[in-house]
Amino acid sequence: KKIKIGVLCIDDNEFWHGVRRGAVYAKKELENYGAIVRYAFFPNWGAMVQEMPGLMDRMVKEDFDGYVLPGFPIGTIHEQIEEVLKMGKKVYLLNTDTAEKEMRQAIFQPDVSDAAVLAAKIMANALNKKGKILVLEGSREVTANCVRSDAFQDAMAQYRGITMDVRSEEHTSE
């Protein structure tokens, strides 16, 4: 039996272009071992949110053995992930996470929480632990943005002389 792997990923900046190159290379290499790799890259978050659930549903119906999901909006495909995990299929996450940690099977990502805490300490020291800061966070639909911003704000909260004005991407686009 040939192994079928689905790769679903955004492709809207240099970071994701590199991920795409890696997936294309992996597809070529894995063909030598009889594996089928189908990849779908989305040009932006809007297209990804709209098309990803249906595409993953089709891959489930086609009995794919595993899925590589580098970066996806929170909540977009949680039902599909739950379904494939119940079927005993594999799900590998890159640079993002599911909202429920129990759904995590395999993940590779930087420790954005630790980096945010370090950034807060550096900023607090630079401000001599007093002043006002503006925190501009990315979309709350992206797990890494939520984790990073929440960790930064929690770390800054211990400095009573520093006040924060937090604005999300959604808020600033008005």
Side-chain angles (χ1 to χ4, degrees), residues 52 56-57 60 67 69 72-73 75-93 96-100 102-105:
M52 193 177 209
M56 192 147 172
D57 283 341
V60 169
Y67 303 85
L69 305 171
F72 57 90
T76 306
I77 54 171
H78 279 75
E79 291 175 15
Q80 289 86 353
I81 292 173
E82 280 182 331
E83 184 179 344
V84 297
L85 291 175
K86 287 177 187 171
M87 296 168 66
K89 309 294 182 174
K90 304 298 179 196
V91 176
Y92 179 79
L93 306 170
T96 194
D97 201 355
T98 58
E100 296 104 28
E102 53 275 0
M103 289 177 63
R104 180 192 298 156
Q105 200 171 39

Side-chain angles (χ1 to χ4, degrees), residues 10 16 45 71-74 95-97 138-149 169-170:
I10 194 162
W16 296 115
W45 281 103
F72 57 90
I74 295 172
N95 207 51
T96 194
D97 201 355
S139 171
R140 296 294 292 182
E141 291 184 351
V142 179
T143 309
N145 291 348
C146 297
V147 171
R148 180 177 28 254
S149 184
E169 181 180 88
E170 290 82 6

